[in-house]
Amino acid sequence: MEPITFTARKHPLPNEVSVDFGLQLVGSLPVHSLTTMPMLPWVVAEVRRLSRQSSRKEPVTKQVRLCVSPSGLRCEPEPGRSQQWDPLICSSIFECKPQHVHKLIHNSHDPSYFACLIKEDTVRRQSICHVFKADDQTKCSSSL
């Protein structure tokens, strides 16, 4: 029996433009929602440190596609060139509305890295910091 294959993209609005970026998700770390801009470089450094520690055992960075549109931000696993898209396997890593993106930070010492702080839970006052690495640092710095 042959597998059923099809291509489907989730577009909230039919005429909405979405820009996709191929990136590596280095890691994520929950932080307090009152985390300030001066604290973010330390958060990013901690995510990178944890990623390097874990990568000795097994690779932690994931190839992802970051989809940016006026209605939201969505991060999903990149299935790879040889794999077919499977709706049972391919799901979003995270998805949020633009107003939940609280802060963006770009590392001037290593321009291929950037991070975004997303407000997740206003009741528990928790946010999550996602750290990304771009293969092409010019795309990273021009998108911020």
Side-chain angles (χ1 to χ4, degrees):
M1 179 181 228
E2 291 185 30
I4 299 171
T5 59
F6 60 91
T7 302
R9 298 270 332 242
K10 179 182 170 186
H11 288 287
L13 302 173
N15 297 329
E16 185 172 72
V17 176
S18 174
V19 179
D20 296 353
F21 297 94
L23 304 166
Q24 291 177 20
L25 177 61
V26 177
S28 303
L29 193 64
V31 295
H32 193 277
S33 64
L34 296 179
T35 300
T36 62
M37 282 299 270
M39 297 169 151
L40 281 178
W42 281 280
V43 174
V44 171
E46 181 66 8
V47 170
R48 289 181 67 184
R49 186 186 68 76
L50 292 170
S51 173
R52 281 192 301 272
Q53 277 183 344
S54 299
S55 68
R56 292 181 186 138
K57 299 170 190 158
E58 62 182 57
V60 172
T61 57
K62 295 182 191 178
Q63 285 298 126
V64 296
R65 185 180 321 127
L66 189 64
C67 307
V68 181
S69 70
S71 66
L73 181 69
R74 185 176 66 252
C75 180
E76 49 193 40
E78 184 69 63
R81 305 240 188 283
S82 61
Q83 283 184 310
Q84 294 177 343
W85 186 80
D86 183 349
L88 300 175
I89 296 172
C90 185
S91 61
S92 293
I93 296 170
F94 70 86
E95 191 167 354
C96 70
K97 293 181 180 188
Q99 61 265 33
H100 291 158
V101 177
H102 187 59
K103 296 185 183 346
L104 288 172
I105 184 173
H106 183 250
N107 187 342
S108 60
H109 297 292
D110 192 347
S112 59
Y113 285 89
F114 74 96
C116 66
L117 189 63
I118 297 173
K119 288 185 181 182
E120 280 209 326
D121 189 352
T122 54
V123 174
R124 290 187 296 165
R125 303 184 86 173
Q126 188 166 1
S127 296
I128 188 156
C129 181
H130 298 284
V131 179
F132 297 94
K133 182 179 189 294
D135 294 328
D136 182 358
Q137 71 184 30
T138 58
K139 285 185 181 179
C140 180
S141 58
S142 65
S143 64
L144 296 176

